[in-house]
Amino acid sequence: MANVYAWPPVGAVGTEWTEDAPVNSSRSIITGRDYASAHARKRRLASITASSLGRGASGAGYMEMLKRFIAGGVGLVRLNSYPINWHLDAAAAAAWRQSHRVSWTHAGDDVGWRDGADLVTWFSGAVLTGTAGASGGWPILTVTGLPPSRLVARPGEFVTLFVNLADLTGATAQIVTEARSDADGVAVLRLFSALSGSGRVNIGTSDTGVFRATTIPRSVQPVGGDWTYSWQFREVFADEVGGFEEINPW
C-alpha cells in the first residue's frame, strides 16, 4: 500500500490537467491503411507551478516538506484539478453555479434543525438540481435553477451530481461543449461520461486523482520577488500499488 499525501495549502501560479492516451500505430504494406489501438491505460497528467510566497510566504517551506514526504516519488500525492479555462471566470461564476452544505454548531456541538418531524438541511450559494439522461447518443445532464439566457458551462469544466442530502462526494463528469440556459433557467450539459440519477448539482467543480511526481523541482530564492516550484505529475491507480493510504500532514 502506498502513502498518498495531500497537496499542501499553497497557491498555484500555473496549472495543467490533461489526459494521456498511449497508442500503437502501424500501416499495412499492402493497402497503405493506417491502424491505431490503445496499448496502455489512459492516465491523467498534471502540472503545478507553486508560488514560494504563497500562504503568507510559507509556500517554499511547504514545497520542501512535500518533497521530503514523497521521498523522490516513493510517496504519492492527491491532487484536485484547477480550472482548465480562465480561472477568474470560474471564480466569478461560483456564486450562481454552486452550493455548499452548511453545518451548525453551538459550543462545539452539532446543532440540528427540524421542520416538524423533518430534518432541515442548509446550503449556501445557489442550489441547482439536475437529472441525468441521454440525447442523440450523448450522455447529458439537464440542470434547473440557473440564471436565464446565459452561458452557464464551458467545455472542459467538471460538473458534480449529488444524488441525496447525505451524499457529500457526488459523481463528477467532464462537460464536452458550451451550454446556455433558456428563458426558464434550464440548461442541458453534454457530458464526456454518463452520470446517473438526479439531485443537487454543482457546475465548475474539480476532478481528483492520485499522482506520482515525475519531476521533483528545485528552486533558487532570488534577492527580491517571488520564486516558484514547477511540478510534473503522472496518475497512479490503486491496483498498481496495492491500495492507497491517504495522509494529510498539513
Side-chain angles (χ1 to χ4, degrees), residues 65-219:
M65 294 315 302
L66 178 62
K67 287 164 64 175
R68 293 202 66 183
F69 278 124
I70 66 173
V74 175
L76 307 177
V77 183
R78 165 71 66 180
L79 298 178
N80 296 312
S81 66
Y82 289 83
I84 291 174
N85 297 299
W86 184 227
H87 66 101
L88 293 181
D89 287 339
W96 53 268
R97 297 199 303 176
Q98 297 182 18
S99 60
H100 302 280
R101 189 167 178 172
V102 175
S103 298
W104 295 81
T105 61
H106 175 69
D109 297 323
D110 291 336
V111 175
W113 291 74
R114 291 187 177 275
D115 180 8
D118 298 325
L119 186 65
V120 176
T121 302
W122 292 77
F123 292 93
S124 65
V127 179
L128 310 176
T129 58
T131 300
S135 177
W138 293 95
I140 62 170
L141 185 68
T142 302
V143 181
T144 62
L146 291 158
S149 306
R150 68 179 299 176
L151 178 68
V152 299
R154 298 180 186 273
E157 290 192 298
F158 294 96
V159 60
T160 301
L161 173 64
F162 305 88
V163 296
N164 55 49
L165 294 179
D167 183 4
L168 301 180
T169 302
T172 298
Q174 198 164 22
I175 300 166
V176 171
T177 188
E178 287 186 348
R180 296 182 180 272
S181 58
D182 63 16
D184 297 319
V186 179
V188 177
L189 311 184
R190 180 177 291 181
L191 307 179
F192 187 83
S193 56
L195 298 174
S196 61
S198 61
R200 183 171 63 92
V201 168
N202 281 346
I203 301 173
T205 53
S206 294
D207 198 8
T208 188
V210 173
F211 295 78
R212 174 170 282 115
T214 57
T215 299
I216 308 296
R218 295 176 60 190
S219 186

Side-chain angles (χ1 to χ4, degrees), residues 3-8 66 68-71 75-79 245-250:
N3 290 339
V4 179
Y5 296 94
W7 177 259
L66 178 62
R68 293 202 66 183
F69 278 124
I70 66 173
L76 307 177
V77 183
R78 165 71 66 180
L79 298 178
E245 179 70 26
E246 305 268 354
I247 301 170
N248 187 349
W250 319 116

